Amino acid sequence: MKPYRLAAAGLAVALLGSLVAATPANATPGTPADATPATAAVNLGSGGADCPTDPATPKRQFRAMWIASVVNIDWPTKASYTAPDRIAAQKAEYTGWLDLAQRLHHNAVVVQVRPTADAFWPSPHEPWSEYLTGVRGQDPGWDPLAYLVAESHKRNLEFHAWFNPYRISMPDGAGADVGKLAPGHPVRENPDWAVAYPLNAAGSRLYYNPGIPEVRQFVQTAMLDAVKRYDIDGVHFDDYFYPYPAAGQDFADQATFEEYGAGFASKADWRRHNIDLLVQEMGQRIKATKPWVKFGVSPFGIWRNKAADPLGSETNGTQSYDANFADTRKWVKEEWIDYIVPQVYWNIGFAVADYAKLVPWWSEVVAGTRVQLYIGQADYKIADPAQPAPWQDPAEMSKHLTFNRDHPQVAGNIHFSAVQVRANRLGATDVYAAEHYSRPALIPTMSQLSAKPLMFPVLTGASRQSDGVRLRWRQPVDGLGPFGRAASYAIYRFDGIDLPGSCGFADAGNLVGTVRATDGPVQSWLDGTAEPGRRYSYYVTALDRLANESQPSPPWFVLR
């Protein structure tokens, strides 16, 4: 095989043009790199809205699954506790989930690392999680969070650390008994911080009291420890703020309300204010610590029903505004968060909460804001005999993703949860993966997070091997001067040797892979899908850690 490339003179001109054009005079902070003009073999800036694209292969789409640790739902398994080498078993289980994510062309994982006021890392604030060893507070002998982040990044998957802010215990753990918490637990030292709820019931557990300012600051600090010490890409909250109400019982915070609730017309308004402060302050503290770390929340799918509030959705179910005191619509409008993932866990046509009514409603909520909308998908309902007939249809989930295409505000999906995705009941995972995740996709960019322009890569070689085509390239002036640092690369492949024009990069039809940047001047990637004897044109783009993309490299042609 003899590879061909652009003439040296042409490459020099392309590089010079990029240096001149990469920092235009009218550039503004936060402008995505792929929206600024540059001179190269192909200019992405000349494509865009005028290019025809295939909705089945979007160039940018957030794709992830939740990996839940509470009560060992997904990872690690209880079986790992008694494995001959527990640490090796848990590492192998986790990399198995990453293998699944890669096969499905996901680009992120959302992993629960603080399920019950505990930690999957050596925290100075809270005890080791019982879900690592089966024993509350027991040192597992390794740093799981460091491994989770590093292995995810090796696969070029964003790592979103999932925290539950206020839950302290589960019924099958410490329950409502402070004395069963791990030795040295903050609640043992400050029992007045906790509220047992519901009382005298099988499901009773402990919660931090959100109305105590000291508690709110403490839980933020405990979570921020992970942000400071680990290279995470996002902070993720689920839907548990105040606990879901139990019939005939109120959360026992009357004394706290009397102490801190002056000026509020009702306890409900005060509770919402407490959660507002948690979200607003957490977002501010994350950005003050690491401005590039994203902050997202996955609330219950209904904010308010239209019958209760004219701004609400055409639904008739539980309202997070009233049940969890979570004013999720406000958080979007105030832009306190970077993304929101409503758990729209109902089928299309479900009378109480119709997927086909909630997705448009949430799309309207985020419209005009900088908050991205992803949809939480209920893979756990597929083939469940207790669920309505649509969930017995292997195409139901794929229909959800098809419906999303008509709502451009929907920028991705997160599936609950990993074990259900892997179970592939009715073959439903295969169906939606084939119809919607057939190609890789880049993470959506966020204009509110600042970025520097990126120099495009320079391909330096391609060699035909028995297992495909091995590409090699360099990244000029990586992170130097006004240029950003490449965190990963996207590889595009076109049949033949015709120049594709900018529209060839408008969707993922020609995107064959992404790869994490490695240390050292030379980067490489193996195209294992290249067919022997076929002619190809390869291009590589650089992406920063926020997925802003450079112009494409000059091409490298593989003729045989």
Side-chain angles (χ1 to χ4, degrees), residues 67-69 71-81 90 93 97 120 131-133:
I67 301 177
S69 61
V71 300
N72 304 96
I73 291 175
D74 297 311
W75 182 86
T77 65
K78 288 184 178 180
S80 69
Y81 297 168
Q90 292 181 352
E93 287 178 355
W97 291 125
F120 274 55
Y131 303 117
L132 289 165
T133 63

Short mmCIF file of all heavy atoms in Angstrom, two decimals, residues 67-69 71-81 90 93 97 120 131-133:
data_model
loop_
_atom_site.label_atom_id
_atom_site.label_comp_id
_atom_site.label_asym_id
_atom_site.label_seq_id
_atom_site.Cartn_x
_atom_site.Cartn_y
_atom_site.Cartn_z
N ILE A 67 -25.42 4.25 35.56
CA ILE A 67 -24.84 3.10 36.23
C ILE A 67 -25.04 3.33 37.73
O ILE A 67 -24.33 4.12 38.35
CB ILE A 67 -23.36 2.92 35.86
CG1 ILE A 67 -23.21 2.75 34.35
CG2 ILE A 67 -22.75 1.74 36.60
CD1 ILE A 67 -21.77 2.63 33.87
N ALA A 68 -26.05 2.66 38.28
CA ALA A 68 -26.48 2.91 39.65
C ALA A 68 -25.76 1.98 40.62
O ALA A 68 -25.63 0.77 40.37
CB ALA A 68 -27.99 2.71 39.77
N SER A 69 -25.32 2.55 41.73
CA SER A 69 -24.65 1.76 42.77
C SER A 69 -25.54 1.49 43.97
O SER A 69 -25.30 0.52 44.71
CB SER A 69 -23.37 2.47 43.22
OG SER A 69 -23.66 3.74 43.78
N VAL A 71 -28.00 0.06 46.45
CA VAL A 71 -28.43 -1.34 46.59
C VAL A 71 -27.89 -2.21 45.47
O VAL A 71 -28.51 -3.20 45.09
CB VAL A 71 -29.97 -1.48 46.76
CG1 VAL A 71 -30.45 -0.74 47.98
CG2 VAL A 71 -30.74 -1.00 45.53
N ASN A 72 -26.73 -1.82 44.95
CA ASN A 72 -26.01 -2.62 43.94
C ASN A 72 -26.85 -2.92 42.71
O ASN A 72 -26.79 -4.01 42.14
CB ASN A 72 -25.51 -3.93 44.56
CG ASN A 72 -24.65 -3.70 45.79
OD1 ASN A 72 -25.15 -3.75 46.91
ND2 ASN A 72 -23.37 -3.43 45.57
N ILE A 73 -27.61 -1.90 42.25
CA ILE A 73 -28.47 -2.09 41.08
C ILE A 73 -27.66 -2.51 39.86
O ILE A 73 -28.01 -3.49 39.18
CB ILE A 73 -29.27 -0.80 40.80
CG1 ILE A 73 -30.31 -0.55 41.89
CG2 ILE A 73 -29.95 -0.88 39.43
CD1 ILE A 73 -31.05 0.77 41.75
N ASP A 74 -26.59 -1.77 39.57
CA ASP A 74 -25.79 -2.05 38.38
C ASP A 74 -24.35 -2.42 38.72
O ASP A 74 -23.83 -3.41 38.24
CB ASP A 74 -25.77 -0.83 37.45
CG ASP A 74 -27.14 -0.47 36.91
OD1 ASP A 74 -27.84 -1.37 36.42
OD2 ASP A 74 -27.52 0.72 36.98
N TRP A 75 -23.72 -1.56 39.51
CA TRP A 75 -22.30 -1.76 39.80
C TRP A 75 -21.97 -1.19 41.16
O TRP A 75 -22.47 -0.11 41.49
CB TRP A 75 -21.43 -1.07 38.74
CG TRP A 75 -19.97 -1.30 38.98
CD1 TRP A 75 -19.23 -2.35 38.57
CD2 TRP A 75 -19.10 -0.48 39.77
NE1 TRP A 75 -17.94 -2.23 39.03
CE2 TRP A 75 -17.84 -1.09 39.78
CE3 TRP A 75 -19.27 0.71 40.50
CZ2 TRP A 75 -16.74 -0.56 40.47
CZ3 TRP A 75 -18.19 1.25 41.17
CH2 TRP A 75 -16.93 0.61 41.15
N PRO A 76 -21.10 -1.84 41.95
CA PRO A 76 -20.64 -3.21 41.74
C PRO A 76 -21.71 -4.21 42.19
O PRO A 76 -22.64 -3.84 42.90
CB PRO A 76 -19.41 -3.29 42.64
CG PRO A 76 -19.72 -2.34 43.77
CD PRO A 76 -20.50 -1.21 43.15
N THR A 77 -21.59 -5.44 41.77
CA THR A 77 -22.57 -6.44 42.19
C THR A 77 -22.25 -6.93 43.60
O THR A 77 -21.10 -6.87 44.06
CB THR A 77 -22.55 -7.65 41.25
OG1 THR A 77 -21.28 -8.32 41.36
CG2 THR A 77 -22.80 -7.23 39.80
N LYS A 78 -23.27 -7.43 44.27
CA LYS A 78 -23.03 -8.03 45.59
C LYS A 78 -22.13 -9.27 45.47
O LYS A 78 -21.37 -9.58 46.38
CB LYS A 78 -24.36 -8.41 46.23
CG LYS A 78 -25.17 -7.21 46.71
CD LYS A 78 -26.43 -7.65 47.43
CE LYS A 78 -27.21 -6.43 47.94
NZ LYS A 78 -28.45 -6.83 48.66
N ALA A 79 -22.24 -9.94 44.33
CA ALA A 79 -21.39 -11.13 44.13
C ALA A 79 -19.91 -10.78 44.18
O ALA A 79 -19.08 -11.62 44.56
CB ALA A 79 -21.74 -11.79 42.80
N SER A 80 -19.58 -9.55 43.82
CA SER A 80 -18.16 -9.16 43.82
C SER A 80 -17.58 -9.13 45.24
O SER A 80 -16.36 -9.25 45.40
CB SER A 80 -17.97 -7.80 43.16
OG SER A 80 -18.51 -6.75 43.95
N TYR A 81 -18.44 -8.98 46.25
CA TYR A 81 -17.94 -8.90 47.63
C TYR A 81 -17.14 -10.15 48.01
O TYR A 81 -16.16 -10.06 48.75
CB TYR A 81 -19.09 -8.77 48.63
CG TYR A 81 -19.95 -7.54 48.52
CD1 TYR A 81 -21.16 -7.47 49.22
CD2 TYR A 81 -19.58 -6.43 47.76
CE1 TYR A 81 -21.97 -6.35 49.15
CE2 TYR A 81 -20.38 -5.31 47.68
CZ TYR A 81 -21.58 -5.28 48.38
OH TYR A 81 -22.40 -4.17 48.32
N GLN A 90 -14.45 -6.16 40.63
CA GLN A 90 -15.20 -4.92 40.44
C GLN A 90 -14.65 -4.11 39.27
O GLN A 90 -15.42 -3.49 38.53
CB GLN A 90 -15.20 -4.11 41.74
CG GLN A 90 -16.00 -4.80 42.84
CD GLN A 90 -16.06 -4.03 44.14
OE1 GLN A 90 -15.37 -3.01 44.32
NE2 GLN A 90 -16.87 -4.50 45.08
N GLU A 93 -16.02 -5.81 36.19
CA GLU A 93 -17.44 -5.50 36.00
C GLU A 93 -17.61 -4.12 35.38
O GLU A 93 -18.42 -3.93 34.47
CB GLU A 93 -18.18 -5.55 37.35
CG GLU A 93 -18.38 -6.94 37.91
CD GLU A 93 -19.07 -6.93 39.26
OE1 GLU A 93 -19.31 -5.81 39.81
OE2 GLU A 93 -19.37 -8.01 39.78
N TRP A 97 -19.17 -2.67 31.57
CA TRP A 97 -20.16 -1.63 31.26
C TRP A 97 -19.62 -0.66 30.21
O TRP A 97 -20.37 -0.19 29.34
CB TRP A 97 -20.57 -0.86 32.52
CG TRP A 97 -21.36 -1.69 33.49
CD1 TRP A 97 -21.09 -1.91 34.81
CD2 TRP A 97 -22.56 -2.42 33.21
NE1 TRP A 97 -22.04 -2.73 35.36
CE2 TRP A 97 -22.96 -3.06 34.41
CE3 TRP A 97 -23.34 -2.60 32.07
CZ2 TRP A 97 -24.10 -3.85 34.49
CZ3 TRP A 97 -24.47 -3.39 32.14
CH2 TRP A 97 -24.84 -4.00 33.34
N PHE A 120 -17.52 6.93 47.11
CA PHE A 120 -16.77 5.94 46.33
C PHE A 120 -15.33 6.41 46.13
O PHE A 120 -14.66 6.00 45.19
CB PHE A 120 -17.45 5.70 44.98
CG PHE A 120 -18.54 4.65 45.03
CD1 PHE A 120 -19.59 4.76 45.92
CD2 PHE A 120 -18.51 3.56 44.18
CE1 PHE A 120 -20.60 3.80 45.97
CE2 PHE A 120 -19.50 2.60 44.21
CZ PHE A 120 -20.55 2.71 45.11
N TYR A 131 -21.76 -0.08 49.55
CA TYR A 131 -22.01 -0.81 48.32
C TYR A 131 -20.73 -1.24 47.62
O TYR A 131 -20.78 -1.88 46.56
CB TYR A 131 -22.90 0.03 47.40
CG TYR A 131 -24.19 0.39 48.08
CD1 TYR A 131 -24.52 1.71 48.34
CD2 TYR A 131 -25.06 -0.61 48.52
CE1 TYR A 131 -25.69 2.03 49.01
CE2 TYR A 131 -26.23 -0.29 49.19
CZ TYR A 131 -26.54 1.03 49.43
OH TYR A 131 -27.70 1.34 50.11
N LEU A 132 -19.59 -0.93 48.24
CA LEU A 132 -18.31 -1.40 47.71
C LEU A 132 -17.87 -2.71 48.36
O LEU A 132 -17.22 -3.53 47.71
CB LEU A 132 -17.23 -0.34 47.93
CG LEU A 132 -17.34 0.92 47.06
CD1 LEU A 132 -16.45 2.02 47.61
CD2 LEU A 132 -16.98 0.60 45.61
N THR A 133 -18.21 -2.89 49.63
CA THR A 133 -17.74 -4.07 50.36
C THR A 133 -18.84 -4.82 51.08
O THR A 133 -18.61 -5.94 51.54
CB THR A 133 -16.70 -3.64 51.42
OG1 THR A 133 -17.35 -2.77 52.37
CG2 THR A 133 -15.53 -2.91 50.79
#
